[in-house]
Amino acid sequence: GLTGAPAILETPLGWFAAAGGFEVDAIDGTLGNPWAFNDPGMWIKPFPSGALTHPAVTLMLELIAKHDFIAEDVAHVRVLTNSRIRATLIHDRPTDVMQARFSMPFCLGVTLLKGRVGLGEFTDEAIASADVKALMERIEFAAYNQVEEGFTNVTSFLEIELRDGTRHKGRADYGLGS
């Protein structure tokens, strides 16, 4: 089999020296036990917005695909997350690109309007768009009151009410790429 240098981490010119040092007792027996990508796991970031928006954006995309509605059909959207997420995503009416990345209403509004949330959606023009602003006005973002068994730290709920009175609901415990 293929092997590397046996002392690449702890030698005087190794990784630990380059990183500023190490404490043997803090790492002895723990490197690779567990591997961080297995436990607690890792996420691949598919959208250029704050990762806390990803479960709701993923769910919105799934509901659009399943029920075949468009932005003009939507009367109201209610999104619920935990209070930590609500306190982090504070820009309900963003005025610049950085705020938009941390805005649940913007991310969901763009998802409804464009069917995607990519780099091209995070522009000054998109933020100033009358269509996006009108959609954000129809998106209510709140925290749920009680965490229940089975919730993750990013569990998000959507309820979409269409103009004809039809309602579509869903729950996302993770976003795309997790």
Side-chain angles (χ1 to χ4, degrees):
L2 186 61
T3 61
I8 194 166
L9 299 177
E10 66 271 23
T11 66
L13 297 176
W15 190 85
F16 290 137
F22 68 100
E23 294 181 34
V24 172
D25 294 339
I27 62 171
D28 188 33
T30 63
L31 290 178
N33 185 22
W35 289 104
F37 52 81
N38 285 338
D39 181 22
M42 57 189 279
W43 293 13
I44 296 170
K45 202 171 173 194
F47 312 117
S49 57
L52 298 176
T53 66
H54 292 195
V57 168
T58 298
L59 181 55
M60 179 66 80
L61 289 168
E62 290 171 359
L63 290 171
I64 290 168
K66 182 177 181 181
H67 300 290
D68 194 31
F69 57 87
I70 60 173
E72 291 79 24
D73 298 334
V74 175
H76 184 78
V77 174
R78 185 163 194 239
V79 56
L80 296 174
T81 64
N82 65 49
S83 59
R84 181 183 55 82
I85 292 173
R86 183 62 185 107
T88 302
L89 301 178
I90 59 173
H91 302 289
D92 289 351
R93 302 299 178 262
T95 59
D96 62 41
V97 172
M98 186 55 74
Q99 288 180 6
R101 292 181 191 283
F102 296 93
S103 172
M104 185 70 81
F106 178 81
C107 291
L108 292 178
V110 166
T111 301
L112 274 167
L113 193 63
K114 302 288 187 176
R116 64 185 180 275
V117 183
L119 288 173
E121 283 65 58
F122 288 91
T123 64
D124 291 335
E125 294 78 21
I127 295 162
S129 162
D131 291 341
V132 172
K133 286 182 176 185
L135 279 168
M136 288 192 299
E137 291 300 323
R138 300 195 309 258
I139 297 172
E140 173 190 356
F141 180 29
Y144 42 74
N145 295 324
Q146 186 173 342
V147 175
E148 297 179 16
E149 188 174 337
F151 282 18
T152 68
N153 64 347
V154 293
T155 295
S156 301
F157 295 89
L158 284 181
E159 181 176 341
I160 300 161
E161 181 182 351
L162 302 182
R163 294 189 188 280
D164 69 4
T166 303
R167 292 179 187 268
H168 301 297
K169 296 180 183 183
R171 168 181 163 176
D173 293 316
Y174 299 98
L176 181 67
S178 62

